Amino acid sequence: MANTYELIAFVLLSGLVLGSALLVVTLRNLVHSVLWLIVTFIGIAGTFVLLSADFVAAVQVLVYAGAVCIMIVFGVMFVQRPDMENSNPINGRYKIAFPVVGGLFVCIGLLMARSQWIISEQAVPEKTVQALSPILLHDYTIPFEVAAILLTVALTGALLLVKEVKANGDRS
């Protein structure tokens, strides 16, 4: 019975992710696209929860749905386009993309149908964060801190670029 509920949840989350991802690339308003991107990231986090990867799901929500999308929204707001209705124009490449993506889905479906799926007999550990924290805070402390500094420098640089572009636009 639990497998039935997991399958239903997976199908619903997959539909949510695919539908919201389609809206991200088809909507003409950039702010609406970013909001649907947040829904896509939350749906992917739900998929991680189904896979018993609760830490990765939390990171998905905090980093991608929270930080990245909010940074994009602030970037859009700093630019302050007068016409936000058509801020995300659709180009003519979708005529090429649809057959390529369709062929890719057919290839993936054929490969999945022919594959021998091996289900692991090993149980997923219940306390995944407790197993991951010593690795992040003892073994990989330096790369973890370097990544944090790199993200801070990138955010600061993006804000300086936006401020410089806005200052140059005010002079004319």
Side-chain angles (χ1 to χ4, degrees):
M1 192 67 156
N3 289 337
T4 306
Y5 291 132
E6 287 179 5
L7 180 63
I8 291 171
F10 177 74
V11 168
L12 291 175
L13 283 172
S14 298
L16 175 76
V17 168
L18 291 174
S20 59
L22 185 64
L23 287 171
V24 168
V25 296
T26 56
L27 289 176
R28 294 193 183 274
N29 190 325
L30 188 59
V31 175
H32 294 164
S33 292
V34 171
L35 292 175
W36 281 108
L37 185 64
I38 293 171
V39 173
T40 305
F41 286 148
I42 290 173
I44 292 171
T47 307
F48 285 137
V49 169
L50 287 177
L51 293 171
S52 299
D54 49 347
F55 178 75
V56 180
V59 169
Q60 176 79 18
V61 170
L62 290 174
V63 173
Y64 289 108
V68 172
C69 290
I70 297 303
M71 191 169 67
I72 292 171
V73 168
F74 278 128
V76 168
M77 289 179 181
F78 279 136
V79 172
Q80 291 181 354
R81 282 184 66 138
D83 180 27
M84 283 304 290
E85 297 274 328
N86 295 316
S87 58
N88 193 15
I90 297 174
N91 58 23
R93 293 188 184 142
Y94 68 90
K95 295 174 185 173
I96 297 169
F98 279 136
V100 169
V101 170
L104 184 65
F105 274 125
V106 169
C107 288
I108 290 172
L110 290 174
L111 288 173
M112 286 176 57
R114 293 183 181 175
S115 296
Q116 294 290 332
W117 296 95
I118 300 171
I119 298 174
S120 175
E121 298 297 325
Q122 187 176 10
V124 177
E126 288 186 25
K127 298 181 179 181
T128 57
V129 177
Q130 284 82 353
L132 191 60
S133 59
I135 296 170
L136 284 177
L137 299 175
H138 291 290
D139 300 338
Y140 293 102
T141 303
I142 301 296
F144 189 66
E145 294 298 326
V146 169
I149 292 170
L150 181 67
L151 289 172
T152 305
V153 169
L155 179 62
T156 306
L159 289 174
L160 286 175
L161 286 174
V162 168
K163 184 178 178 183
E164 184 177 312
V165 167
K166 191 173 181 182
N168 289 340
D170 289 342
R171 292 181 192 162
S172 48

